[in-house]
Amino acid sequence: MLKQYHDQMQQHPHQHPQQTHQRGRRKKSSTTLLLSSARFVSAIARLSLGPLLPLLTLSFHFSDRDTPALLSAFSSGYILTQVAGGYFADRFGYRSVISTSLGVSALLVFWLTLN
């Protein structure tokens, strides 16, 4: 225990180990909140398509044959964005990718409600 404290003090001489532990706990909490928010927004986006399908067919004049194609296109886009999201998370960091995607999703949903 004393050796671990000594090693940590050499790496971060101006920080007490308790401060480092508290910062790690806050980072884990913010990560958990960010991931939970991303999952919630993603679930709402996917689950809202079914109830909105009749309104979309009326607004955009889709035929009954176009409805399965719309559902397939949405699912295909969802799969492709998952793969692209993984790539960008590896490249730029998961926090920035999730934050950006949450912001863009929120803006798109807000914009769709205005139209």
Side-chain angles (χ1 to χ4, degrees), residues 62-83:
F62 290 133
S63 69
D64 289 337
R65 293 185 320 201
D66 295 336
T67 304
L70 177 66
L71 291 172
S72 296
F74 183 80
S75 298
S76 299
Y78 186 76
I79 290 170
L80 292 175
T81 56
Q82 292 293 313
V83 173

Side-chain angles (χ1 to χ4, degrees), residues 45-64:
R46 282 185 293 122
L47 295 174
S48 65
L49 186 61
L52 291 176
L53 207 52
L55 294 173
L56 289 173
T57 37
L58 289 175
S59 295
F60 295 111
H61 308 292
F62 290 133
S63 69
D64 289 337

Side-chain angles (χ1 to χ4, degrees), residues 7 11 43 54 66 89 99 101 110:
D7 291 344
Q11 291 173 357
D66 295 336
S99 299
S101 64
F110 182 71

Side-chain angles (χ1 to χ4, degrees), residues 8-115:
Q8 192 169 19
M9 288 305 290
Q10 285 181 344
Q11 291 173 357
H12 306 285
H14 302 292
Q15 293 178 352
H16 191 273
Q18 186 67 24
Q19 291 172 339
T20 306
H21 179 68
Q22 288 173 350
R23 188 182 356 233
R25 184 176 287 164
R26 278 188 299 229
K27 191 173 182 177
K28 285 180 184 179
S29 296
S30 66
T31 301
T32 302
L33 180 65
L34 185 64
L35 290 174
S36 298
S37 300
R39 178 69 179 140
F40 181 72
V41 169
S42 175
I44 287 176
R46 282 185 293 122
L47 295 174
S48 65
L49 186 61
L52 291 176
L53 207 52
L55 294 173
L56 289 173
T57 37
L58 289 175
S59 295
F60 295 111
H61 308 292
F62 290 133
S63 69
D64 289 337
R65 293 185 320 201
D66 295 336
T67 304
L70 177 66
L71 291 172
S72 296
F74 183 80
S75 298
S76 299
Y78 186 76
I79 290 170
L80 292 175
T81 56
Q82 292 293 313
V83 173
Y87 170 76
F88 288 125
D90 285 343
R91 184 158 184 192
F92 300 111
Y94 69 92
R95 285 181 183 266
S96 59
V97 171
I98 291 175
S99 299
T100 303
S101 64
L102 278 175
V104 169
S105 295
L107 289 173
L108 286 175
V109 168
F110 182 71
W111 177 75
L112 287 173
T113 58
L114 296 176
N115 290 329

